[in-house]
């Protein structure tokens, strides 16, 4: 069974690797937005040095990390939810549910392959451009790169769990686009895509930093910036793992209820 899911993950990687022009267009778009945000941050941090505990170089690094992870961690969409919602809407999902492979594990593996490709195809290039053009913070320790990659993997897992739940809502709503839009807005705002969550004021900032979206950008960025050390780093991973576990279990429950609904209707 593990070989099956590994094959599905490899297939997800190859599937997205075939869209080379789309990848190039995505890199270009992310790079353009990176420049726009960089100069916006330069103006903001020029007026408010050390805002959110970041200096200028940290803030610029945060911009390019965000542009690199926007598709890797599905900040504005997991990349699979539309296809899954369509299968639910048309009834094709019944075939998937009766297969010997687990539905959630199948889509998780496919999404893992997608995320891996996006990291190589659309993640590295924008960050490299940002490092060449701007004075951004680079990790002082080589081990930080490994810690950063682990934080990205956990963030992508949380992202998958969120978007899987969004897709599962189509079993009861029949059209999941409304939920998709709400999740899209939540990801855009509460992941820290527009501004680091560290700069959010008062109760808003406290709430934003404990929501699952913080796992997708804010925590990986702070790991890269070496804001966590020792047990602090363990705590950051535990936060990501905790949300991943809660959301994956919720997705499993939604899948179980959906399967029961399909069986009842089929009977």
């Amino acid at each position: 069974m593990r070989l099956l899911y590994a094959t599905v993950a490899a297939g997800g990687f190859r599937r997205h690797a075939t869209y080379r022009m789309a990848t190039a267009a995505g890199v270009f778009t992310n790079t353009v937005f990176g420049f726009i945000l960089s100069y916006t941050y330069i103006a903001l941090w020029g007026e408010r040095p050390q805002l959110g505990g970041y200096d200028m170089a940290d803030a610029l690094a945060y911009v390019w990390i965000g542009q690199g992870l926007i598709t890797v961690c599905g900040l504005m969409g997991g990349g699979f939810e539309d296809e899954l919602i369509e299968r639910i809407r048309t009834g094709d999902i019944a075939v998937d549910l009766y297969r010997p492979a687990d539905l959630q594990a199948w889509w998780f593996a496919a999404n893992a392959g997608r995320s891996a490709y996006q990291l190589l195809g659309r993640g590295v290039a924008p960050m490299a451009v940002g490092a060449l053009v701007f004075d951004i913070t680079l990790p002082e320790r080589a081990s930080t790169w490994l810690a950063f990659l682990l934080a990205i993997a956990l963030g992508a897992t949380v992202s998958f769990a969120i978007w899987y739940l969004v897709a599962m809502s189509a079993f009861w709503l029949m059209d999941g686009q409304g939920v998709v839009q709400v999740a899209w807005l939540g990801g855009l705002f509460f992941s820290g895509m527009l501004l680091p969550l560290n700069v959010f004021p008062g109760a808003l900032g406290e709430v934003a930093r404990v929501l699952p979206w913080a796992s997708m950008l804010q925590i990986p960025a702070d790991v890269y910036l070496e804001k966590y050390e020792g047990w602090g780093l363990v705590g950051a991973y535990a936060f990501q793992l905790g949300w991943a576990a809660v959301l994956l279990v919720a997705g499993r429950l939604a899948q179980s209820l959906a399967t029961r609904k399909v069986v009842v209707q089929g009977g």
Side-chain angles (χ1 to χ4, degrees):
M1 191 61 72
R2 292 180 180 177
L3 179 60
L4 170 63
Y5 296 129
T7 302
V8 172
F13 186 99
R14 290 194 300 270
R15 176 184 179 184
H16 289 273
T18 60
Y19 300 109
R20 297 177 183 175
M21 290 304 297
T23 299
V27 169
F28 176 77
T29 301
N30 291 150
T31 302
V32 170
F33 275 100
F35 276 97
I36 294 171
L37 284 173
S38 290
Y39 287 113
T40 302
Y41 275 40
I42 288 171
L44 179 58
W45 260 261
E47 294 294 324
R48 298 282 302 276
Q50 299 300 320
L51 180 63
Y54 295 153
D55 59 23
M56 182 73 78
D58 289 344
L60 290 172
Y62 185 95
V63 167
W64 292 98
I65 292 169
Q67 293 306 306
L69 297 187
I70 191 169
T71 54
V72 178
C73 290
L75 303 182
M76 299 171 66
F80 70 92
E81 66 280 352
D82 288 338
E83 182 179 353
L84 183 51
I85 287 172
E86 180 63 17
R87 292 190 67 81
I88 294 171
R89 190 187 66 80
T90 60
D92 291 340
I93 194 68
V95 177
D96 300 337
L97 290 171
Y98 281 112
R99 287 173 179 166
D102 180 75
L103 183 70
Q104 187 184 53
W106 178 284
W107 284 98
F108 177 83
N111 188 66
R114 180 202 64 82
S115 292
Y117 173 74
Q118 295 294 358
L119 178 62
L120 297 175
R122 289 184 60 174
V124 174
M127 288 188 65
V129 171
L132 289 172
V133 177
F134 297 95
D135 181 17
I136 72 171
T137 299
L138 296 174
E140 296 181 358
R141 300 185 296 270
S143 61
T144 299
W145 290 104
L146 293 177
F148 180 47
L149 287 175
L150 178 56
I152 291 173
L154 293 174
T157 301
V158 173
S159 172
F160 165 80
I162 290 174
W163 289 107
Y164 187 76
L165 274 172
V166 169
M168 286 292 103
S169 71
F171 273 104
W172 292 272
L173 301 178
M174 297 310 297
D175 182 2
Q177 291 308 308
V179 182
V180 168
Q181 290 299 316
V182 171
W184 183 86
L185 289 172
L188 180 66
F189 187 76
F190 288 112
S191 68
M193 187 66 201
L194 298 178
L195 279 173
L197 302 182
N198 294 344
V199 309
F200 283 22
L204 176 61
E206 294 176 5
V207 170
R209 287 188 289 272
V210 298
L211 292 176
W213 289 285
S215 298
M216 296 154 60
L217 173 55
Q218 185 67 56
I219 287 181
D222 282 341
V223 170
Y224 172 94
L225 294 171
E226 300 178 336
K227 300 296 184 181
Y228 298 112
E229 294 184 359
W231 286 109
L233 181 59
V234 173
Y237 289 151
F239 177 85
Q240 292 179 295
L241 282 169
W243 270 118
V246 168
L247 292 168
L248 287 172
V249 168
R252 173 73 55 186
L253 177 60
Q255 177 181 312
S256 178
L257 293 173
T259 302
R260 189 175 305 173
K261 180 180 180 182
V262 170
V263 170
V264 170
Q265 290 179 344

